[in-house]
Amino acid sequence: MRRREKASKILENMKKVIIGKDEVLEKVLICLLARGHLLIEDVPGVGKTTMVKALAKSINLSYCRMQFTPDMMPSDITGITLYNRAQEKFIFKKGPIFNQIILADEINRTSPKTQASLLQAMEEAEVSIDEETYQLKKPFMVLATQNPIEYQGTFPLPEAQLDRFLMRVSLGYPGVNEEKEIIKNYQESKWLNKITAVACEEEIIEMQKEVDEIYVHEDILHYIVGISNASRSHKDIHLGASPRVSIDLYRGSRALAYIKNRDYVIPDDVKKIVPYVLTHRLILSAEARIEGRRAEDIIKDVLKRVHVPVVSGNEG
């Protein structure tokens, strides 16, 4: 089976338990193939954790769920060095971050100090403990959930942490027919029993390498940078897109082109992922917040201000 067909198989596998959210599942796969991390922000009970478990079961990678709490310490994530009396030496006991698929459940319920323990792992795929640096096994992906409604006992993610997430998605409530199907599925079987692995570690790594080979025309690259620049000069935006955002747009658009079975990126690939890559990273101006402006609407205005290139896949 061709690897691109494997990507489609992963999506189909996840659709068995996540009903009617094909667009969101596509973003999950984009993040995986682009070597990115995903922030899932939504109210309780809509399937955030189930979606992550469905991904973990669809690909044969090590998986760990970490339930974040206010009393959680950085060592609970990264690991700790203990003294072994029998061997008369210190031994490092690895923490859950050394798995490949990490579910950081309710990430905003732990302190900024503990949140910060994820930064190096998410950016560099490594962990430094006691003057030693340990490489994390690839592929490596963090999928974090948080409830945007409940603020009591939570710690808002700082900009540096938000910037580590390639995308932010929201599942939202299902439609009436979709919710009926969800109930039937729940009654008939334990949802995740329908899921078996359809891809292994080596195949995921090879797919990521193939995404790296997707062609991006110079005009598309200029379009990506233009979007980031436009966000920095918009009157309603206090803090615009960083160069990391431009890199993530580049990576994400190539992954989307790969999923769509193309060997090149088109402008629509970039436009389609812009809201998911930018929204959680922008800080609106005080005036925009007072007026009740939404980041999504401002991003639409930013896109209108940037010239859309006309390129074909044959160029280059």
Side-chain angles (χ1 to χ4, degrees):
M1 183 183 291
R2 294 171 57 195
R3 292 192 185 94
R4 294 197 189 203
E5 293 174 351
K6 281 280 186 180
S8 298
K9 190 67 175 177
I10 294 172
L11 279 179
E12 292 302 319
N13 223 29
M14 296 174 67
K15 290 176 186 177
K16 293 177 182 178
V17 293
I18 304 297
I19 309 297
K21 299 297 178 182
D22 297 2
E23 286 287 319
V24 178
L25 297 180
E26 183 180 83
K27 304 304 180 297
V28 175
L29 187 57
I30 286 172
C31 282
L32 174 66
L33 297 180
R35 301 185 184 88
H37 308 286
L38 183 68
L39 179 62
I40 310 164
E41 187 175 271
D42 219 323
V43 296
V46 295
K48 300 187 297 294
T49 302
T50 302
M51 182 173 69
V52 179
K53 288 182 176 179
L55 173 67
K57 291 199 71 174
S58 296
I59 52 181
N60 193 22
L61 305 179
S62 60
Y63 163 76
C64 179
R65 173 183 175 178
M66 293 187 285
Q67 184 65 51
F68 281 65
T69 57
D71 61 346
M72 197 173 194
M73 299 296 292
S75 59
D76 294 328
I77 297 173
T78 58
I80 191 171
T81 301
L82 301 172
Y83 183 70
N84 187 308
R85 295 185 62 182
Q87 299 181 24
E88 296 185 345
K89 66 178 181 179
F90 287 94
I91 297 177
F92 176 63
K93 183 179 180 181
K94 293 181 178 179
I97 196 66
F98 283 87
N99 287 277
Q100 293 170 290
I101 299 293
I102 305 293
L103 169 56
D105 215 0
E106 296 187 292
I107 189 173
N108 57 332
R109 285 202 169 277
T110 196
S111 68
K113 178 180 180 181
T114 304
Q115 290 177 17
S117 65
L118 289 169
L119 292 176
Q120 183 184 11
M122 293 175 69
E123 180 64 20
E124 302 166 37
E126 62 184 29
V127 174
S128 296
I129 302 290
D130 297 333
E131 300 183 352
E132 293 287 338
T133 298
Y134 302 89
Q135 298 295 321
L136 299 177
K137 191 174 182 180
K138 299 177 182 179
F140 172 74
M141 183 181 183
V142 174
L143 300 98
T145 72
Q146 67 172 358
N147 179 356
I149 304 300
E150 188 177 14
Y151 295 107
Q152 187 172 1
T154 63
F155 302 86
L157 299 183
E159 284 69 33
Q161 184 77 65
L162 288 171
D163 205 34
R164 295 305 196 278
F165 290 101
L166 192 149
M167 287 185 177
R168 181 180 69 179
V169 299
S170 174
L171 278 166
Y173 289 113
V176 174
N177 292 332
E178 295 162 353
E179 191 162 359
K180 287 164 63 177
E181 190 66 25
I182 289 171
I183 294 171
K184 290 178 182 177
N185 280 356
Y186 184 78
Q187 289 176 336
E188 291 171 2
S189 64
K190 295 298 182 181
W191 294 19
L192 292 168
N193 290 345
K194 295 182 177 182
I195 299 293
T196 55
V198 295
C200 64
E201 175 182 309
E202 292 76 15
E203 288 170 324
I204 298 298
I205 291 174
E206 286 303 315
M207 283 191 279
Q208 290 175 338
K209 290 178 180 178
E210 289 175 353
V211 168
D212 292 340
E213 296 172 359
I214 296 294
Y215 174 68
V216 182
H217 191 275
E218 187 71 20
D219 289 348
I220 297 288
L221 195 58
H222 187 76
Y223 180 52
I224 290 172
V225 174
I227 293 171
S228 295
N229 275 319
S231 74
R232 297 165 195 161
S233 59
H234 197 285
K235 64 180 182 64
D236 289 330
I237 300 176
H238 176 66
L239 178 66
S242 68
R244 183 184 280 123
V245 173
S246 299
I247 294 171
D248 285 349
L249 285 173
Y250 177 74
R251 295 159 59 199
S253 60
R254 289 200 299 183
L256 178 56
Y258 182 84
I259 292 173
K260 298 300 183 183
N261 204 28
R262 276 185 277 102
D263 295 323
Y264 56 91
V265 172
I266 60 175
D268 279 351
D269 293 330
V270 180
K271 289 173 67 176
K272 189 171 183 179
I273 67 170
V274 162
Y276 303 96
V277 177
L278 260 71
T279 306
H280 61 291
R281 288 153 144 165
L282 302 181
I283 297 180
L284 305 188
S285 66
E287 293 81 3
R289 294 198 302 271
I290 291 171
E291 293 172 2
R293 299 288 305 279
R294 297 170 63 247
E296 291 83 356
D297 296 329
I298 295 173
I299 288 174
K300 289 179 182 178
D301 188 44
V302 167
L303 288 173
K304 290 178 182 177
R305 300 181 181 202
V306 184
H307 171 70
V308 181
V310 180
V311 298
S312 70
N314 296 324
E315 296 183 56

